[in-house]
Amino acid sequence: YTAPDGSSSTWDADGGGTYTNADGSSGSYSADGSSTHTDADGNTHSTDADGNSSFTGADGSSGTMNADGSSSFTDPDGNTFSTDADGNESYVNADGSSGTMNADGSGSHSEPDGSVCTFDADGGGSYTGADGSSASWDAEGNGSYNDPDGGSGSFSADGSFSHTDADLSLIHI
């Protein structure tokens, strides 16, 4: 069939078909439920018979959305974001940084220089810097740290704080 505006469609005996719209968008579909659509700007969306879908954007973006709830997306700059079927998320940025955000509240973030920050499900965490610094804390707000110059300290949820410089001079607050 061809319409007066130039759009057209076909149907197959098995229940599938194709179409082309006047704006240049087009697509196809099958009796099993799968389909593909490309819009006039060049963005493509496809769905398979199992309910998994994917897209490719004319801008270079792409993604998948799966029937099990998992998904991924890559933006035009190359940053990638993913979620698994259990709700755990991860990302990898074009600058090399990456991280995770888990369904239980734990996670991590890593920088290209090697710095890493982790978070426990209970609210505690740790940090290790590329410069040799480090810190750790618990869910109550108590923790300790080490400076790259050899200093160290501790802090408490009650606001108290102590620091020892590399020369072993002690400061309490």
Side-chain angles (χ1 to χ4, degrees), residues 2-80:
T2 300
D5 67 359
S7 58
S8 63
S9 59
T10 63
W11 294 271
D12 301 331
D14 67 358
T18 62
Y19 60 90
T20 302
N21 295 318
D23 66 0
S25 60
S26 63
S28 63
Y29 53 92
S30 299
D32 66 5
S34 60
S35 64
T36 299
H37 173 78
T38 302
D39 69 24
D41 296 324
N43 302 300
T44 299
H45 180 266
S46 298
T47 302
D48 68 20
D50 296 323
N52 303 304
S53 62
S54 63
F55 72 91
T56 303
D59 63 359
S61 60
S62 63
T64 59
M65 293 147 288
N66 300 309
D68 67 2
S70 62
S71 64
S72 67
F73 172 74
T74 301
D75 70 21
D77 296 326
N79 303 302
T80 301

Side-chain angles (χ1 to χ4, degrees), residues 4 8 19 23 60 78 95 105 112 116 126 149 164-165 167:
S8 63
Y19 60 90
D23 66 0
D95 68 2
V116 177
S126 64
D149 65 3
T164 303
D165 286 333
D167 67 3

